[in-house]
Amino acid sequence: MMDHSSPSGILLLRPARHSANIPAMPHPESDPFALDDAIPFPPPPARARGGEPLPVPADAPWLAGLNPEQLEAVTSLDGPVLVLSGAGTGKTKVLTARLAHILASRRAQPWQCLAVTFTNRAAREMKERVAGLVGPAAQDLWLGTFHSLCLRILRRHAQAVGLGADFTVLDADDQLRVLKQVMADQHIDAKATPPQALMGVIQRWKDRALTPDKVRGEHASDVAGGRGPELYRLYQDRLKGLNACDFGDLLLHTLTVFLADARVLEHWQGHFRYLLVDEYQDTNVAQYLWLRLLAQTHRNICCVGDDDQSIYSWRGAEVGNILRFDKDFPGARVVRLESNYRSTPHILGAASALIAHNQGRLGKTLRSGLSHESDSVEKVRTRAVWDGEAEARLVVEEIETIQRRGETLSSMAILVRAGFQTREFEERLITTGVPYRVIGGPRFYERLEIRDAMAYLRLVASPADGLAFERVVNTPKRGLGEAAIQSVHILARHAGVPLLEAARRLVETDELKPRARQALAGFVSDVARWRSLLDSMPHAELAATILEESGYVAMWKADKSPDAPGRVENLKELVAALEEYESLATFLEHVALVMENDAKAEQDRVAIMTLHGAKGLEFDTVFLPGWEEEVFPHARALAETGTQGLEEERRLAYVGLTRARKRALVTFAANRRIYNQWKSQLPSRFVEELPDEHVERSADRGLHGGGRQDSNAAWNESGWSDVRRSRQTARPAPAPLKTAPRQSGGGFRAGDRVFHDKFGNGSVVAVDGNKLEIAFDKAGTKKVLDSFVSAL
DNA sequence: AAACGAAGCTTTTTT
DNA sequence: AGCTTCGTTT
């Protein structure tokens, strides 16, 4: 997705050629538009650059089917443009068409266009769609996330911020590890100051483009007893020492480079003739500054956003950016897209009424751009259920019903507020055998074994990678304890050399006990040997060799825990994935930024994801569970930022509803177990804010519907008023309304053959209530809940 | 040095 | 509850 190799320290005039598996293309200068015949562009004129823009035929395919506003957004090429684009109004269509239009008009070459998205997924989608319109020229666009584009730029100027061109990008895990080390060095009590919290503060500083020396006054924080800025500086120093940077640094360093060297800034300002920005409402200060700097010369910047979908203020996003656009870019043209082509009128009506409860919006009216047969249009439904289990049961039953009517599972999604909510649905889906996929769950590259393996590869690719060294030097166990590692650290710090080099020197001394010395010597020479193979051996093969010879694979093969076989599988997958890349370095770079599950073979599955993760997606059917006070709106959002927090939660609800094309089901439970404590829940205020004319409310027997029309009488009748008073107190799980005891429950007896989704087949050894002890054929003996197994 | 057990924290959202 | 982290034991 990005290009990976460019000589450091040289200002290239255009991006380096794209990597491996993309077919080689003619040099842009000799043949700027290597287009298929099918692509309706005229041949390049002799004076392509700087010449008059070419007229674009009005019947160009990307202009087909655009409404007047969309058309304006696409064709207003000169000068700043702000597109206020409500949910489902065709924003991606506009962005892609605009790119095609720019290229067709010859106002810029592909590599002079910068298009920024927030997620890799959005970037990929946009690239595919643009490629569909303009062909392979799409490959030459600067199209990606802020982070990947910054990385690409920063690689060329790394030395200006004290990094080598081959610096590594740390993921969240490594970041925290480094920060913990810094804190330990400074004798900061990790209990009084949770590293996570300090990390968060530092990141917020970075989001605001504040380097350590700029943190003061209003931005100061009292974390770590006011030593935050100092620790921030030490953390940054430490990163430089490791020749590494974190996500926030990608932007921060790029800004630093721009501001430190006018020549560099001018170069890039001149380079990018057109800027397109997706999800503008979610840009933070650093990103905003970055954009504003880059847009100065040509001033052709087009930002697309929706203030009602701003849901990332917690990570530094400033809705204000969208509100002040025309101050920063005087004369900006503002285009509103208000025709929704996604959802039914009921869904639109419900969502619009909900979001209308927010103050301080730019204000848009979404109208339906679709025609619906009135009888096929369902109202948004809300339903009160007894507890989380009933909720999961209801949702899964509903899924099965809809599926039986002929709709696909992949047209349905369960959108939760927070990750922990997924569990109950997963359990239910497993017991009923409905295929599902958790999106944004534990990612492939975040798994323990993958991170270990990657550390091996990193260490071999760049021997100075101290974090990688630490991670694998005693994994698998080589008998190197804390004392030995400590010695390496001391020597490294003393001599000012990387850990691996320090280790090499250390084994030549008598510092270590013979045993440890031998182990370390073995490790050092192993790494040296693998390194010597770097150029001669294909990298995938090399990776396999490393994992074998280090004993890492053997370690998992010997591990008896049930997930060990899976880990070995994952390692194989990792090696296989490597083959897709040109080199080890390209691969490592890719992984640093695009930490995604490369979704496997498309199967028909229900998606489960967070509301945040769902932004930009759409489904025929959307399930919105857990609409209860303190869950959604989340208690912490309210506690931390009050009204602002509440409005952001409401926008989140709006995002959730507007994901639905045909139907939405909102559910809320009367009781929920949170941290192992049963709590009585109140329906979310958002439930009540939904307008009756677009909503159909119902409740399980004995529960009230949580709606406006439900009187207090109903409230009192159900006995909830008492509950409300004492809702903070823990109480045993009430179960008056439970129907029959779990059906999947009883029935198992010792000796039964059963199947478990994760552990496979096995025999029941013992039964304890709903807990079964099962001897699995492959995974060993485990205690599992009966709901996870089915009889064979 | 490794293995075991107790204690404490988590869970809001992510590039 | 489940997981990680820390401290203790072998």
Side-chain angles (χ1 to χ4, degrees):
Chain A
M1 185 192 104
M2 65 210 92
D3 77 80
H4 311 270
S5 52
S6 61
S8 61
I10 298 172
L11 272 182
L12 297 182
L13 290 177
R14 69 185 67 81
R17 303 304 311 154
H18 206 278
S19 61
N21 38 2
I22 287 131
M25 298 214 330
H27 192 281
E29 204 138 76
S30 58
D31 183 7
F33 277 64
L35 299 173
D36 298 333
D37 291 345
I39 306 303
F41 288 152
R47 39 164 188 85
R49 287 206 201 191
E52 286 293 300
L54 292 172
V56 178
D59 61 349
W62 52 88
L63 300 179
L66 296 179
N67 67 30
E69 298 78 40
Q70 291 173 330
L71 194 65
E72 184 185 1
V74 169
T75 56
S76 303
L77 295 185
D78 301 314
V81 179
L82 178 63
V83 181
L84 297 174
S85 169
T89 55
K91 137 190 100 101
T92 309
K93 191 174 180 183
V94 163
L95 279 170
T96 50
R98 189 176 163 93
L99 276 168
H101 207 67
I102 291 167
L103 297 180
S105 75
R106 287 312 163 78
R107 282 171 161 86
Q109 302 289 4
W111 59 90
Q112 295 169 325
C113 301
L114 182 83
V116 203
T117 63
F118 262 81
T119 63
N120 292 302
R121 192 191 66 219
R124 200 187 323 122
E125 188 189 330
M126 198 184 297
K127 183 164 270 183
E128 276 164 17
R129 287 176 65 164
V130 176
L133 295 174
V134 305
Q139 294 298 343
D140 283 340
L141 294 164
W142 282 71
L143 193 162
T145 60
F146 276 105
H147 300 273
S148 66
L149 294 170
C150 280
L151 176 61
R152 211 166 137 184
I153 293 174
L154 196 56
R155 282 272 181 235
R156 304 180 191 182
H157 308 292
Q159 74 295 333
V161 285
L163 293 172
D166 60 343
F167 65 86
T168 48
V169 182
L170 266 36
D171 60 36
D173 226 66
D174 283 336
Q175 280 175 42
L176 203 60
R177 190 159 303 156
V178 172
L179 186 66
K180 280 179 185 165
Q181 288 173 5
V182 171
M183 289 174 70
D185 285 350
Q186 296 300 305
H187 310 292
I188 302 286
D189 181 10
K191 288 191 189 94
T193 308
Q196 301 267 16
L198 179 56
M199 194 77 246
V201 171
I202 291 176
Q203 268 162 4
R204 291 299 78 76
W205 282 331
K206 290 187 177 183
D207 289 337
R208 305 188 131 131
L210 296 170
T211 46
D213 53 299
K214 294 207 186 100
V215 179
R216 64 177 85 85
E218 55 174 321
H219 299 303
S221 155
D222 49 11
V223 276
R227 295 181 66 193
E230 178 193 348
L231 293 165
Y232 177 21
R233 180 184 300 283
L234 290 166
Y235 169 75
Q236 292 299 90
D237 291 345
R238 193 78 215 284
L239 289 183
K240 275 185 194 166
L242 292 163
N243 192 28
C245 72
D246 65 21
F247 273 91
D249 285 337
L250 290 173
L251 264 149
L252 193 62
H253 286 335
T254 307
L255 275 177
T256 306
V257 169
F258 284 168
L259 295 173
D261 189 336
R263 281 185 14 254
V264 172
L265 178 59
E266 274 168 34
H267 165 76
W268 291 107
Q269 285 176 331
H271 179 94
F272 294 120
R273 300 191 174 193
Y274 284 89
L275 277 67
L276 277 81
V277 188
D278 193 12
E279 308 280 14
Y280 188 62
Q281 76 283 354
D282 285 329
T283 49
N284 60 35
V285 171
Q287 290 161 338
Y288 162 80
L289 291 172
W290 189 87
L291 288 169
R292 208 177 63 173
L293 279 175
L294 283 178
Q296 280 319 307
T297 301
H298 296 291
R299 300 180 58 76
N300 296 319
I301 181 169
C302 173
C303 295
V304 180
D306 178 2
D307 55 316
D308 288 335
Q309 294 186 64
S310 161
I311 54 175
Y312 282 104
S313 72
W314 51 272
R315 82 174 194 210
E318 295 277 340
V319 207
N321 291 348
I322 205 168
L323 305 173
R324 56 180 291 176
F325 187 83
D326 58 355
K327 287 201 192 83
D328 297 314
F329 298 100
R333 186 187 286 245
V334 179
V335 182
R336 284 165 184 269
L337 304 182
E338 296 181 313
S339 282
N340 175 292
Y341 297 99
R342 180 186 295 153
S343 310
T344 65
H346 281 314
I347 291 167
L348 278 186
S352 301
L354 179 72
I355 198 66
H357 284 83
N358 274 4
Q359 309 291 315
R361 348 174 6 228
L362 288 175
K364 281 182 304 322
T365 323
L366 279 188
R367 357 170 242 280
S368 178
L370 297 172
S371 55
H372 295 271
E373 306 125 47
S374 53
D375 60 334
S376 72
V377 176
E378 304 170 29
K379 285 188 172 184
V380 171
R381 285 192 296 147
T382 71
R383 185 159 185 98
V385 295
W386 179 253
D387 61 7
E389 196 193 324
E391 182 178 56
R393 207 184 312 127
L394 170 74
V395 166
V396 174
E397 274 165 17
E398 199 77 16
I399 288 171
E400 290 183 298
T401 307
I402 296 169
Q403 190 188 20
R404 255 180 260 121
R405 288 208 304 251
E407 302 191 28
T408 62
L409 293 175
S410 53
S411 72
M412 302 181 240
I414 303 171
L415 308 183
V416 297
R417 173 63 183 85
F420 74 89
Q421 291 172 271
T422 62
R423 219 187 82 209
E424 244 158 343
F425 292 100
E426 287 192 73
E427 288 179 6
R428 191 67 205 169
L429 289 163
I430 289 172
T431 54
T432 38
V434 175
Y436 70 94
R437 165 185 4 238
V438 180
I439 295 178
R443 306 176 221 206
F444 184 69
Y445 291 114
E446 282 171 7
R447 290 164 204 262
L448 175 75
E449 67 277 15
I450 299 303
R451 293 177 50 79
D452 285 342
M454 300 278 301
Y456 270 105
L457 302 185
R458 270 163 56 189
L459 187 59
V460 171
S462 39
D465 193 327
L467 289 168
F469 176 89
E470 279 184 314
R471 187 166 185 112
V472 298
V473 65
N474 197 33
T475 314
K477 303 266 183 280
R478 296 188 172 86
L480 291 163
E482 198 167 332
I485 307 297
Q486 212 43 47
S487 308
V488 179
H489 266 112
I490 291 167
L491 196 154
R493 194 167 302 187
H494 232 73
V497 296
L499 292 178
L500 182 63
E501 171 61 15
R504 195 190 63 74
R505 294 186 193 179
L506 190 64
V507 295
E508 290 170 359
T509 69
D510 288 327
E511 183 75 24
L512 296 175
K513 296 196 187 120
R515 222 200 181 90
R517 181 175 160 184
Q518 203 181 355
L520 190 59
F523 179 70
V524 170
S525 75
D526 279 348
V527 175
R529 182 162 33 82
W530 295 326
R531 194 165 163 69
S532 72
L533 295 173
L534 207 48
D535 294 323
S536 52
M537 190 183 269
H539 53 282
E541 197 182 320
L542 175 61
T545 306
I546 293 172
L547 295 178
E548 280 298 329
E549 292 185 1
S550 62
Y552 191 72
V553 175
M555 176 183 102
W556 286 116
K557 282 187 176 158
D559 193 310
K560 291 191 298 293
S561 69
D563 47 344
R567 295 187 193 266
V568 176
E569 276 309 302
N570 288 337
L571 291 170
K572 280 189 195 144
E573 248 183 79
L574 176 72
V575 172
L578 254 161
E579 305 202 12
E580 312 270 315
Y581 293 83
E582 197 177 7
S583 71
L584 207 50
T586 4
F587 175 74
L588 292 172
E589 178 129 302
H590 175 83
V591 168
L593 249 66
V594 192
M595 290 266 253
E596 283 185 297
N597 291 353
D598 290 20
K600 298 207 192 111
E602 283 303 317
Q603 274 180 41
D604 193 29
R605 294 161 180 272
V606 179
I608 308 179
M609 66 186 92
T610 63
L611 288 161
H612 285 89
K615 190 162 76 157
L617 301 180
E618 57 182 78
F619 303 89
D620 285 343
T621 307
V622 164
F623 297 97
L624 299 162
W627 282 39
E628 297 139 33
E629 285 294 304
E630 313 225 311
V631 174
F632 188 39
H634 196 279
R636 232 141 112 175
L638 265 49
E640 277 163 24
T641 41
T643 310
Q644 274 193 351
L646 174 64
E647 296 211 339
E648 180 146 319
E649 295 287 297
R650 195 178 277 117
R651 290 193 291 269
L652 208 41
Y654 173 77
V655 168
L657 275 171
T658 53
R659 297 311 93 192
R661 282 190 289 252
K662 286 165 40 180
R663 66 180 79 83
L665 172 60
V666 171
T667 57
F668 48 96
N671 302 284
R672 197 173 285 279
R673 197 171 52 189
I674 295 169
Y675 302 141
N676 204 24
Q677 299 229 308
W678 280 93
K679 286 179 65 179
S680 295
Q681 298 292 99
L682 292 173
S684 168
R685 64 194 80 188
F686 300 152
V687 173
E688 212 170 309
E689 289 171 5
L690 296 172
D692 288 336
E693 60 268 40
H694 299 297
V695 175
E696 182 188 309
R697 301 172 200 271
S698 64
D700 279 356
R701 202 162 53 84
L703 297 175
H704 77 101
R708 215 183 330 232
Q709 72 274 53
D710 286 296
S711 64
N712 277 331
W715 177 268
N716 291 323
E717 269 164 38
S718 68
W720 276 31
S721 50
D722 296 331
V723 164
R724 183 184 211 180
R725 249 174 260 129
S726 58
R727 48 198 272 249
Q728 296 293 358
T729 57
R731 56 180 58 223
L737 280 182
K738 267 195 186 154
T739 41
R742 279 166 163 264
Q743 281 219 306
S744 58
F748 289 113
R749 279 197 259 162
D752 285 353
R753 292 289 290 166
V754 294
F755 172 78
H756 185 281
D757 208 54
K758 273 192 201 133
F759 306 135
N761 293 335
S763 306
V764 177
V765 177
V767 182
D768 172 17
N770 64 342
K771 277 184 227 139
L772 306 175
E773 192 171 339
I774 298 172
F776 289 103
D777 301 348
K778 291 200 178 130
T781 301
K782 294 275 293 179
K783 286 204 176 100
V784 300
L785 289 176
D786 57 18
S787 53
F788 281 96
V789 302
S790 49
L792 270 183

